[in-house]
Amino acid sequence: MKFSLGNILYYWPKEQVETFYQEAINSDADIIYLGESVCSKRRELRLKDWLSLAKNISNSGKQVVLSTMALLEAPSEVNVLKKYCDNGEFLVEANDVSAIELCHQNSVPFVCGQPINIYNGTALKRLVNLGMQRWVMPAELGRDWLASMVKESHDLGIRDKFEIEVFSYGH
């Protein structure tokens, strides 16, 4: 089992974000997600800032995943998304179907983030064929649904082709 630290889901000033991730380097997390996934209007860090943090974290031996927006509302957001999906170095967390398509077009492996509603093995198989390496189960699904998805993945012969991540909060 691996421990991952999700991207920040709150507005924090740039200095606080940078301090948080410097501390995360010394944490027990194996995987660290970076990037704004909620609202582009609260971005104090730009792509170059996220990539700089990503390189520092990656140099510490941790896997870095660049998180994308869950809802794109403007052409400028699509342009930023294209740059994330063509970063050339880091895995991308696709939180919108357009990110999945861009990653697939660029042959970039991706994590299917929890905002993408995947409820059956056939959908997982399609995503695996597009380049998905990890699936983050939607937060509204429980243990029984996860067990069902794992069984379906085995039945479809794809269970060994992707990791499963479960979103949790607290202890």
Side-chain angles (χ1 to χ4, degrees):
M1 178 165 31
K2 296 178 186 173
F3 176 68
S4 53
L5 177 65
N7 65 310
I8 299 168
L9 299 176
Y10 309 98
Y11 170 76
W12 287 354
K14 182 178 181 179
E15 185 177 301
Q16 186 176 0
V17 171
E18 291 171 337
T19 300
F20 175 79
Y21 284 115
Q22 289 306 314
E23 292 173 8
I25 287 173
N26 299 317
S27 75
D28 292 333
D30 302 296
I31 305 161
I32 297 180
Y33 288 76
L34 301 171
E36 178 58 56
S37 63
V38 178
C39 179
S40 66
K41 292 177 177 64
R42 63 184 201 172
R43 273 189 235 175
E44 287 206 19
L45 282 82
R46 302 290 182 223
L47 179 61
K48 67 179 177 78
D49 300 316
W50 289 120
L51 290 174
S52 177
L53 278 171
K55 287 178 185 179
N56 288 342
I57 293 168
S58 179
N59 289 338
S60 76
K62 298 185 184 301
Q63 182 185 38
V64 172
V65 182
L66 298 175
S67 296
T68 65
M69 295 283 294
L71 177 63
L72 303 171
E73 298 181 308
S76 61
E77 293 171 354
V78 175
N79 289 335
V80 170
L81 175 65
K82 288 177 182 177
K83 292 175 185 173
Y84 270 81
C85 295
D86 195 26
N87 77 81
E89 189 171 351
F90 301 105
L91 193 61
V92 172
E93 179 187 32
N95 288 313
D96 180 87
V97 178
S98 59
I100 292 170
E101 180 59 26
L102 286 169
C103 286
H104 175 66
Q105 287 176 7
N106 293 324
S107 299
V108 173
F110 63 91
V111 173
C112 185
Q114 66 99 12
I116 305 288
N117 298 321
I118 302 299
Y119 300 120
N120 62 62
T122 304
L124 285 174
K125 184 173 183 176
R126 173 76 174 130
L127 291 168
V128 165
N129 290 337
L130 293 174
M132 180 184 77
Q133 291 189 345
R134 182 180 306 130
W135 170 60
V136 183
M137 185 176 82
E140 69 272 13
L141 301 182
R143 181 181 55 108
D144 292 341
W145 201 287
L146 176 60
S148 174
M149 294 290 278
V150 169
K151 182 185 180 317
E152 281 187 61
S153 300
H154 279 292
D155 294 348
L156 291 168
I158 60 168
R159 183 57 208 100
D160 62 338
K161 300 188 185 316
F162 67 98
E163 297 175 340
I164 296 174
E165 185 170 319
V166 178
F167 186 87
S168 65
Y169 175 80
H171 300 287

